[in-house]
Amino acid sequence: MSRGGGKGPSLKDKLDGNELDLSLCDLTEVPVRELAALPKATVLDLSCNNLISLPSDFCSLMHLVKLDLSKNRLQQLPLDFGRLVNLQHLDLLNNRLVTLPVSFAQLKNLKWLDLKDNPLDPVLAKVAGDCLDEKQCKQAAVKVLQHMKAIQSEQDRQRQRKLQAEREMEKKREAEQRAKEAQERELRKREKAEEKERRRREYDAQKAAKQEVEKKAKKENVQTRKPASSPRPPQPPRHKHSWSRSVLRVLLFALLCVLCTLAACKLTELQRQPLCISVNTLYEDVVAALQNHKTLQNLLQQNSQQ
């Protein structure tokens, strides 16, 4: 095994039963692959090396029961360090650790812990206390696990509260989105109704204008046709013409009656009747007047000729 790499065929030679001692090897990284090939090595000593960090795949060494990482330069442990669920004994003496990962609370089998000589957070340092004897180291394991479980629970609660807040925010956003969509639908519906009403008014206006034009054109056509029929002479009213004929008929009938009466009074035996005597006298007077009138006309005509 070469320094700094932890690699070489002699790794198995260091295995003593279930213990593998890699201390004082000047390691700067952990030979995880080779260690994973040795599941019997449940006790691993990596103390007094130059380890600054542990690779993430180190947590796959779940067969480890006892782990010594004391007197290195570790600044932090992997976030999933809690995967080492079989770990019972952990020595982190004299490193540069300030905090522990929250997954540390999952080390439910941990019974011994040493965190002395680390620049721990004051709260964590107070919880861990000293590890000067077996009893104190066991108490440190119990107290630190309880502390990390409390931190994990608090983080879980915070995570749940955050998740709940995010869900409520998402619901609020969805409700706002639904309200916005409903408002937009209502706006589109109102705009559509207004557009329909506008188009209906335009249609009515166009229809009214068309009817007005047709009415005006019809009126102009009527006015244009009237002069063509005006040269025809006006026809006398039929009722007036009929009235004239009726009067003429009555006069003719009366004249006929007079002639018949006069003939009867002159030519028949009725001439001695009083009525006929009056008629004959009237007739003779009329004839005499006409003769006088004719004589007067002749005299006037002669005087005018002289």
Side-chain angles (χ1 to χ4, degrees), residues 136-168:
Q136 289 181 343
C137 293
K138 288 182 178 181
Q139 289 178 350
V142 174
K143 292 180 179 179
V144 169
L145 282 178
Q146 291 177 350
H147 177 68
M148 298 309 298
K149 286 180 180 179
I151 292 177
Q152 186 180 46
S153 298
E154 180 61 25
Q155 288 188 355
D156 290 342
R157 285 192 295 271
Q158 290 180 358
R159 192 179 299 110
Q160 288 297 327
R161 286 194 295 268
K162 183 178 180 181
L163 183 61
Q164 184 65 23
E166 290 177 352
R167 289 176 179 174
E168 292 178 357

Side-chain angles (χ1 to χ4, degrees), residues 188-202:
R188 288 195 297 270
K189 185 178 179 181
R190 186 164 58 250
E191 290 177 350
K192 187 176 180 180
E194 291 176 354
E195 177 65 19
K196 186 176 180 180
E197 180 64 18
R198 184 186 65 79
R199 292 172 59 188
R200 187 187 65 79
R201 289 196 298 267
E202 289 181 354

Side-chain angles (χ1 to χ4, degrees), residues 164-267:
Q164 184 65 23
E166 290 177 352
R167 289 176 179 174
E168 292 178 357
M169 185 62 67
E170 183 65 23
K171 289 181 181 179
K172 184 177 179 181
R173 284 196 296 267
E174 290 177 355
E176 291 177 352
Q177 182 66 23
R178 288 194 296 269
K180 183 178 179 181
E181 292 176 353
Q183 186 177 4
E184 290 177 352
R185 286 195 299 270
E186 185 64 23
L187 180 61
R188 288 195 297 270
K189 185 178 179 181
R190 186 164 58 250
E191 290 177 350
K192 187 176 180 180
E194 291 176 354
E195 177 65 19
K196 186 176 180 180
E197 180 64 18
R198 184 186 65 79
R199 292 172 59 188
R200 187 187 65 79
R201 289 196 298 267
E202 289 181 354
Y203 174 78
D204 292 342
Q206 292 176 358
K207 186 175 180 181
K210 184 177 180 180
Q211 290 177 351
E212 185 65 23
V213 171
E214 291 177 352
K215 185 177 179 181
K216 187 176 180 181
K218 186 176 181 181
K219 186 176 181 181
E220 290 178 352
N221 291 335
V222 171
Q223 292 177 353
T224 304
R225 291 174 183 175
K226 280 185 177 180
S229 59
S230 58
R232 297 177 60 184
Q235 298 291 334
R238 291 187 177 182
H239 65 276
K240 188 175 181 181
H241 184 67
S242 299
W243 175 254
S244 301
R245 289 184 178 181
S246 299
V247 171
L248 182 59
R249 288 174 182 174
V250 170
L251 292 175
L252 291 175
F253 179 76
L255 181 60
L256 181 61
C257 291
V258 170
L259 292 176
C260 291
T261 301
L262 183 61
C265 290
K266 285 288 187 183
L267 301 176

